[in-house]
Amino acid sequence: MHTNYYFLRQLAPALTQQLQGYTVATCFSQEKDELVIGLTNGAQEFWLKAHLAAAGPMLTMPESFHRARQNSVDLLPNLLGQQVRAVAAWPNDRVLQLTFQRGATLLFKLYSTRPNAVFRPTPEAPAELFHQRYTDDAELRPAPANADAFPTPAEASNLPANPLKAYPSLNDVALAYLRTRGYDPAPLERKWQLVRETVLELENPAAFYIIRFDGRTRLSLLPVGEVEYTLPATDPIGALRRFVPLLLNRRAYEAELRQVRQQLEKRADEAATSAQHARRRLHALENTVGYRQTADLIMAHLSQIPAGAAQVEVVDFYQNNQPRTIKLKPTETPQRTAQNLYRKAKNQQLETRELSARAERRETEALWCLERLEELAALPPGDLRALRQWRKLHGLDPATAAKAAQELPFKVFEDSGFTILVGRNAQNNDLLTQRYAHKDDLWLHAKDVTGSHVVIRQRPGHAVPAPVLERAAQLAAWYSRRKNDSLCPVTYTPKKFVRKPKGAIAGQVVVERENVLLVVPANPFERVE
């Protein structure tokens, strides 16, 4: 309600009185959709800041303001030196008009869509628009005031059944207030009486109220919803100064709370899904005939297999001596087929261990996220500082990937407070490993094939968690020649054990000590990359 006509109607005369003798000293913008005006009477200063974004236009009047040295641009040069004569609210509109002694006017159009500021150096001069795309605003003129604001009971009986249409500035807060007084079931004459009484209260409020209404913090002229603060009706400027910082703080809190909740819910869902897939694959491996059993059967029945056979029927001593048909390759010996099956069995055993470990890691991660969600729900409501401290404690700070991506020539990912860098090509790999990576950063690369260098930047005092290592290894596999393999071995080691031999081609390095992690190639950040 801070941009509603009835509040602007209280604010305008207070500003007229406050700004007597004040002259515009500066006018500039340093943020998108922001117009800042500084006024002075020679001894004191007064700041007026308009936030003209469609998502929520707002007027604020900070007691002091420090202009930034950068990203600041001067605006409306003809406004400088203009002395304020009066401030007025347009009738039944969300427009505040400043009129100056030499005839200049400045309008603040505070519509929830298409807000704007319109300046005219003289009444006949062309309009200068803050948002120049809204060209129709150049023709803005105040609507005539309604002289017959309150119809008599006799007149009311001939009017439409919805008296609210006669007062377009009555918003949802006023409607809620009317309903508390029995508006909906009342006869038409009583409805007109209730509306008239409510409008009189709005025009002559007993106080300003900061309320919690419909899940939002509002500045109201009526005691509706949960009243948090009651402020004197004689000081609308003070009410605005009290309300706006509280509103902005709560908006920031709610936005960050929503962000971290979504972040945790997404991580918990992804971890649980990954664990479920690993368990399903593990179950399939454990409940099917293994490569080793098949190889054992071939070797046990070599004498029964003729040369060039496409298949052979044997007695399966693993399955109660049931007959079993084994397919063979006519172009290779049974011994060669068994050898290949033993190799596959070894890989299958590695895959089984990896799947079991991954399922446990991802289940642990999902549980961790659910525990954090419970803690999040127990934090003091509305305490932005406590929320930010909690996020920092658990490595859930707001993502800095966008900023890092502008500063670094690599693919950049953020995971649980760790930054993961991925080289884009051979030359970029050299740049990452030789110039950007610290000796204690963790370095990763798909084993024995060409691919991107991957670096997990160290966090002093924090070891790289297993889930972070796994996802970085998946990236190394994904950005390599093994991208389409079902499993990929990935080398990882502190960067200090990686060196580039003299004369080596771009991207080529030697790893002196290594560990190997078997992962499924994937980009686990593909939705936020």
Side-chain angles (χ1 to χ4, degrees), residues 278-279 281-283 285-286 292 345-361 470 487 516-519:
R279 293 290 184 194
R281 172 62 177 162
L282 192 60
H283 178 78
L285 290 175
E286 292 173 345
R292 180 173 295 279
K346 183 177 180 181
N347 290 338
Q348 190 178 63
Q349 187 178 18
L350 290 173
E351 183 180 4
T352 299
R353 288 203 300 266
E354 170 61 24
L355 287 169
S356 179
R358 182 187 308 149
E360 291 180 5
R361 287 197 302 267
E470 179 185 340
L487 285 172
V516 178
L517 181 63
L518 199 63
V519 296

Side-chain angles (χ1 to χ4, degrees), residues 75-315:
L75 297 174
L76 305 178
N78 292 325
L79 180 60
L80 302 184
Q82 298 278 0
Q83 185 175 2
V84 178
R85 184 173 70 195
V87 182
W90 283 14
N92 291 307
D93 209 339
R94 286 171 288 171
V95 177
L96 194 69
Q97 175 174 317
L98 278 71
T99 304
F100 300 91
Q101 295 291 356
R102 298 200 295 268
T105 56
L106 176 64
L107 306 181
F108 290 108
K109 187 185 80 167
L110 303 173
Y111 294 4
S112 57
T113 57
R114 300 167 62 94
N116 210 349
V118 183
F119 174 66
R120 291 181 184 274
T122 65
E124 300 78 20
E128 300 177 31
L129 305 179
F130 178 76
H131 287 309
Q132 298 183 22
R133 61 186 180 275
Y134 302 149
T135 54
D136 291 347
D137 291 348
E139 306 303 323
L140 278 176
R141 293 290 186 274
N146 183 5
D148 299 320
F150 300 121
T152 64
E155 293 172 329
S157 62
N158 298 320
L159 290 172
N162 187 0
L164 296 174
K165 291 185 177 180
Y167 301 96
S169 296
L170 293 178
N171 62 4
D172 56 341
V173 173
L175 181 57
Y177 182 72
L178 284 166
R179 284 172 173 162
T180 65
R181 303 187 63 193
Y183 176 82
D184 287 335
L188 181 59
E189 184 177 336
R190 175 60 178 162
K191 285 184 175 179
W192 275 105
Q193 181 183 357
L194 288 171
V195 169
R196 180 174 184 238
E197 291 172 355
T198 300
V199 170
L200 284 173
E201 287 188 61
L202 290 168
E203 292 180 345
N204 301 279
F208 297 116
Y209 306 94
I210 296 177
I211 64 172
R212 192 74 176 169
F213 176 76
D214 198 21
R216 297 162 57 195
T217 301
R218 309 281 289 271
L219 180 61
S220 173
L221 282 68
L222 299 167
V224 181
E226 178 188 349
V227 177
E228 297 183 318
Y229 300 97
T230 301
L231 308 171
T234 55
D235 187 13
I237 296 174
L240 202 59
R241 284 174 171 169
R242 180 73 179 274
F243 166 72
V244 170
L246 179 64
L247 176 65
L248 295 178
N249 182 277
R250 288 184 176 177
R251 282 183 178 176
Y253 172 82
E254 289 165 2
E256 291 196 22
L257 181 68
R258 183 169 55 252
Q259 181 188 48
V260 71
R261 184 186 293 117
Q262 291 173 349
Q263 178 184 359
L264 286 168
E265 288 173 348
K266 178 183 174 183
R267 280 183 57 185
D269 181 65
E270 290 178 347
T273 301
S274 176
Q276 184 180 19
H277 289 167
R279 293 290 184 194
R280 189 178 298 130
R281 172 62 177 162
L282 192 60
H283 178 78
L285 290 175
E286 292 173 345
N287 290 274
T288 56
V289 176
Y291 294 119
R292 180 173 295 279
Q293 291 184 14
T294 304
D296 288 344
L297 291 173
I298 292 174
M299 294 303 293
H301 297 84
L302 279 178
S303 61
Q304 302 175 21
I305 304 175
Q311 64 181 34
V312 62
E313 184 173 302
V314 300
V315 175

Side-chain angles (χ1 to χ4, degrees), residues 4 26 91 133 193 225 238-239 243 338 384 389 437:
N4 182 267
T26 184
R133 61 186 180 275
Q193 181 183 357
F243 166 72
L384 184 59
Q389 289 176 344

Side-chain angles (χ1 to χ4, degrees), residues 260-274 362 364-370 372-373 394-397 414-417 465 467-468 471 525 527:
V260 71
R261 184 186 293 117
Q262 291 173 349
Q263 178 184 359
L264 286 168
E265 288 173 348
K266 178 183 174 183
R267 280 183 57 185
D269 181 65
E270 290 178 347
T273 301
S274 176
R362 299 298 266 166
T364 299
E365 182 180 4
L367 179 60
W368 182 89
C369 291
L370 294 175
R372 299 293 80 73
L373 283 168
H394 294 292
L396 296 167
D397 294 332
E414 294 291 326
D415 189 0
S416 303
V468 176
R471 286 188 282 271
F525 308 97
R527 280 181 285 181

